[in-house]
Amino acid sequence: MTIKTLETVPITLLAAVFNEAFSDYVIPFSLSETDLKAKIAAENIRLDCSLGVFLKNKPIGFILVGVDTIDRKPTAYNAGTGVIPKCRGQRQTQAMYDYLLPLLQLKGISHHLLEVITHNEKAIHIYKRIGFETLRTLNCYKGNIAPSRSSFDFKPLDVLDWELMVSFWDFKPSYQNSIATINRMKNDLEFAGAFADGNLVGYIVFGAARIKQFAVHPQFRRMGIGRQLFYEVQKKAGNTIVSLTNIDAANKGTNVFLLEIGLVQIVQQLEMGMKIN
């Protein structure tokens, strides 16, 4: 087995090994080549910073790495780690990280983030052994939103005033839902706002039935704005189940709201981080 970066590996092979590795995951899923290309672009995945384990020149495992500046720190994000089922049990993840961390340090990256499902105790143990520490717990939800009415005005957002929108936040979004990620994929997203006397008092960002961000001005909460924003997404999605990921579990108000409007918590994740020495 050999380990090397992925910039010369065809997208066809990357998609194939990704889907085989996640075929028996806690929540099985797969990506088309188009989906994987979109993920690489949105999450700023650098294939020269991403690694694969190869057996006879065929990839059997990988770590996809996105790179961004977070809190003024050059940060790597583990956008997906997997090994195909029949090749597991040989410490491939540890071996890839033994290769990856010096590579990231050489490229001037000082911090590293990832998310891992809490049920995946084996992966959590591996990441802790590598040097990751738990930063926070994140909840993921899905469900259908019942019809709602509100006296506020709801309309598409053509201009994004991030300085104002950030002032509505109770917690910082995870990497996949960050402003930078949203800006990279904004052509594939929709933006809706709630207005009072012409002033923005709430917003939601979504693609198809998946919500990336939402927030309501603190002074306008418990007035039906959040429920209506979610219903705006449901109307667009039709009968498709609405989903959103990585809501900070420590923010009780947001989690209670999501349950009240009919969503169900499907899984929890740990956000983990480490400083690369």
Side-chain angles (χ1 to χ4, degrees), residues 15-263:
V17 68
F18 185 98
N19 291 333
E20 187 172 355
F22 281 98
S23 61
D24 63 345
Y25 195 52
V26 177
I27 302 177
F29 66 97
S30 62
L31 297 175
S32 66
E33 291 179 27
T34 300
D35 293 335
L36 182 54
K37 288 179 181 177
K39 177 180 174 69
I40 289 171
E43 297 173 20
N44 202 34
I45 292 171
R46 292 261 304 271
L47 295 180
D48 63 318
C49 295
S50 303
L51 296 181
V53 179
F54 293 80
L55 179 62
K56 297 180 180 179
N57 293 319
K58 179 181 178 181
I60 61 164
F62 60 89
I63 300 176
L64 299 179
V65 178
V67 176
D68 213 332
T69 300
I70 300 175
D71 297 330
R72 300 182 181 180
K73 301 167 186 173
T75 301
Y77 170 69
N78 184 328
T81 295
V83 177
I84 64 174
K86 65 182 179 182
C87 293
R88 292 174 188 159
Q90 301 176 54
R91 297 174 64 91
Q92 292 97 334
T93 299
Q94 179 73 59
M96 285 190 285
Y97 262 105
D98 289 343
Y99 188 115
L100 178 63
L101 294 179
L103 173 64
L104 296 178
Q105 187 175 24
L106 186 64
K107 292 180 179 291
I109 296 168
S110 60
H111 289 74
H112 194 11
L113 289 173
L114 60 80
E115 293 129 25
V116 57
I117 289 177
T118 54
H119 293 327
N120 196 346
E121 295 179 0
K122 183 177 180 181
I124 292 170
H125 176 74
I126 292 171
Y127 290 135
K128 286 182 176 179
R129 187 171 63 209
I130 290 167
F132 285 92
E133 297 180 348
T134 299
L135 302 178
R136 57 179 174 170
T137 301
L138 304 168
N139 294 336
C140 304
Y141 292 89
K142 70 176 182 179
N144 292 111
I145 313 300
S148 176
R149 292 183 179 180
S150 173
S151 60
F152 295 87
D153 296 325
F154 294 85
K155 57 186 177 182
L157 283 179
D158 298 320
V159 177
L160 303 179
D161 184 348
W162 280 115
E163 184 176 355
L164 174 62
M165 292 153 66
V166 166
S167 72
F168 300 169
W169 290 1
D170 286 334
F171 64 92
K172 188 174 181 178
S174 64
Y175 186 96
Q176 291 182 332
N177 299 328
S178 68
I179 293 173
T181 297
I182 286 171
N183 284 336
R184 285 189 289 264
M185 61 185 303
K186 62 183 178 182
N187 291 336
D188 297 320
L189 297 174
E190 295 185 65
F191 305 81
F195 293 82
D197 298 323
N199 298 311
L200 182 71
V201 296
Y203 76 93
I204 196 162
V205 181
F206 61 101
R210 184 156 189 175
I211 295 167
K212 303 292 289 183
Q213 268 191 33
F214 73 97
V216 175
H217 190 297
Q219 294 180 8
F220 288 84
R221 294 176 185 172
R222 312 304 295 182
M223 297 181 183
I225 293 174
R227 182 185 292 268
Q228 182 65 33
L229 285 169
F230 271 71
Y231 183 60
E232 294 296 315
V233 178
Q234 188 71 71
K235 286 193 296 185
K236 292 266 188 177
N239 294 325
T240 304
I241 292 174
V242 170
S243 67
L244 69 163
T245 60
N246 296 348
I247 302 300
D248 193 329
N251 186 258
K252 302 300 183 183
T254 300
N255 287 278
V256 168
F257 161 75
L258 295 172
L259 295 172
E260 285 179 344
I261 66 172
L263 298 182

